[in-house]
Amino acid sequence: MSDPNTGGPREGPPVGGRASAWASWTKPLAPQRPRDGRFFTMIVSGVLAAALCIVALTLPVPYVIESPGPTFNTLGKDGSNPVIQVSGHSTYPAAGQLDLVTVYVSGGPTSSVNIVQAYRAWLDSSRSVIPEELVYAPGTSQQEVNSQNAVAMTTSQEDATAAALTQLKISYQTRLAVAAIPQQSASAGQLEPGDVLVSVNGAPVTTLKVIQDALAASNGEAVSVQVQRGSDMLTKSITPQKGDGGKYLLGIALQYKFNFPFDVNIALSNVGGPSAGMMFALGIIDTLTPGDLTGGKHFAGTGTIEPGGTVGAIGGIAQKMIGARHSGATVFLAPAANCNEVAGHVPDGLQVVKVQTLQQAYDAVAQIAAGKDSSALPTCQAG
């Protein structure tokens, strides 16, 4: 062992009384620092902030998203069943396509839309984002939406049959019936949904105009309304109310009831609403007449239909045109009332023909099917 004064290597502490001097050379332990609570607070705050962001992104927003839906050939089949089935009248096969078009609707009473879905739809030119209140009345339930769509589809099928038979000059009987009675209306408690109107002040009800004329002549006085309810014939005294337009009203929603000379059934599942009326009518005409109206070509279109053949406006036409083009259609029949929504949104390769009546739609299809020049057919312009 070397002398510490020489500066040589040292293997251990000095012996004897100098051991305490060695101990004084060791490095003391550092004192422990108190735990900082701010770190824990930051972690908790971050987790809460992340959770709030997730909740905010998943909460429903008051918007409805419309997207292109599937198309259905009215001359074809839905599953194993023909879309249009006729019994009691001759029918003729058709080789072309007269597609009705649909729209998927997300949001509102039937489902929910969050801010992420709405934002993605805003960025997608094939979809539309619409404030919910413009599509559904406040407080509307999913059951009410489904019921309304089912009734509208059934009504459009009956109206389409009537319009087709009118076009073909096949006679049928028409009656007007009560479809709905709003609360506080003049007819509340007097009439019921399903009542068939027979006469107003003795005038047989053959058209809506008969009712309107009788109410105008009454000048607000009570009118005698005769209805058929099931097998019973009832007479009610109803005092009409003046509407916003100054006309006297019974305060009822009406629907046509028809008695056709043969049966026309339309089988189409999981589709609701009134917008297929015009295409149903064209399909019925093609089914009931010899030859092939389409000439084997692929048409699509949309529009409500009235028994007299007037074509009405529908919703989601931009998405419907996209769906039609994706399905292979080259010609699209669009209601004239929707032209402002059509202009600027027509997909490449799709010719749009503007129609106001079933006759115009029929003539356009027949002209294009025959291979004639269709460039002069009316189309939609903005404004």
Side-chain angles (χ1 to χ4, degrees):
M1 181 175 182
S2 300
D3 189 326
N5 294 324
T6 64
R10 186 172 53 241
E11 296 177 354
V15 295
R18 300 186 67 180
S20 60
W22 173 262
S24 65
W25 297 339
T26 59
K27 186 178 180 180
L29 295 175
Q32 290 188 346
R33 299 175 61 186
R35 185 182 299 273
D36 191 346
R38 290 177 297 177
F39 179 74
F40 179 75
T41 302
M42 291 173 61
I43 293 294
V44 172
S45 298
V47 171
L48 289 176
L52 288 174
C53 287
I54 293 172
V55 170
L57 293 175
T58 56
L59 282 175
V61 292
Y63 290 97
V64 168
I65 298 174
E66 293 182 339
S67 308
T71 63
F72 300 88
N73 181 16
T74 61
L75 301 176
K77 293 184 176 182
D78 180 31
S80 59
N81 298 317
V83 173
I84 296 174
Q85 304 175 60
V86 177
S87 58
H89 191 281
S90 298
T91 59
Y92 305 88
Q97 288 189 237
L98 290 168
D99 286 357
L100 64 89
V101 287
T102 65
V103 169
Y104 285 125
V105 179
S106 304
T110 59
S111 59
S112 62
V113 170
N114 61 47
I115 189 62
V116 175
Q117 293 169 320
Y119 182 71
R120 290 176 61 187
W122 269 314
L123 299 177
D124 187 344
S125 61
S126 71
R127 298 193 286 175
S128 294
V129 181
I130 306 167
E132 183 179 335
E133 66 268 17
L134 298 182
V135 181
Y136 301 106
T140 303
S141 67
Q142 180 175 352
Q143 183 177 0
E144 289 172 331
V145 172
N146 294 338
S147 176
Q148 291 167 4
N149 284 339
V151 169
M153 173 59 81
T154 300
T155 301
S156 75
Q157 293 171 359
E158 293 175 348
D159 290 348
T161 301
L165 298 193
T166 299
Q167 177 86 10
L168 297 173
K169 296 181 170 52
I170 298 175
S171 299
Y172 57 91
Q173 294 181 341
T174 307
R175 298 180 297 170
L176 282 171
V178 178
I181 306 174
Q183 293 182 354
Q184 310 303 322
S185 82
S187 298
Q190 296 275 62
L191 302 181
E192 296 179 0
D195 287 349
V196 176
L197 278 71
V198 177
S199 66
V200 178
N201 276 354
V205 175
T206 53
T207 64
L208 179 60
K209 189 175 184 301
V210 171
I211 302 174
Q212 293 171 335
D213 290 345
L215 295 177
S218 75
N219 198 29
E221 297 294 324
V223 294
S224 176
V225 180
Q226 187 179 39
V227 299
Q228 182 178 350
R229 184 176 297 168
S231 59
D232 297 328
M233 198 70 69
L234 307 174
T235 301
K236 302 289 185 178
S237 179
I238 301 174
T239 301
Q241 297 172 343
K242 184 175 286 189
D244 294 338
K247 296 182 179 180
Y248 289 101
L249 306 171
L250 291 177
I252 56 177
L254 294 172
Q255 66 181 127
Y256 289 101
K257 284 189 173 293
F258 306 102
N259 186 10
F260 299 122
F262 50 87
D263 292 330
V264 178
N265 296 312
I266 297 177
L268 192 61
S269 58
N270 299 321
V271 178
S275 63
M278 179 183 68
M279 299 310 293
F280 282 143
L282 288 173
I284 293 169
I285 291 173
D286 201 1
T287 300
L288 295 176
T289 54
D292 189 356
L293 173 62
T294 66
K297 293 183 171 62
H298 193 159
F299 295 84
T302 187
T304 64
I305 195 73
E306 294 183 5
T310 301
V311 175
I314 52 81
I317 195 164
Q319 287 69 44
K320 290 178 177 179
M321 289 189 296
I322 293 172
R325 189 67 190 105
H326 285 172
S327 72
T330 55
V331 180
F332 189 89
L333 306 172
N338 284 113
C339 268
N340 283 340
E341 302 161 77
V342 170
H345 297 93
V346 180
D348 292 339
L350 190 68
Q351 178 185 2
V352 174
V353 180
K354 177 180 69 174
V355 298
Q356 293 177 295
T357 65
L358 179 60
Q359 182 69 61
Q360 291 176 353
Y362 177 90
D363 290 343
V365 172
Q367 180 174 332
I368 295 172
K372 298 179 180 179
D373 181 18
S374 62
S375 60
L377 289 173
T379 189
C380 285
Q381 304 294 333

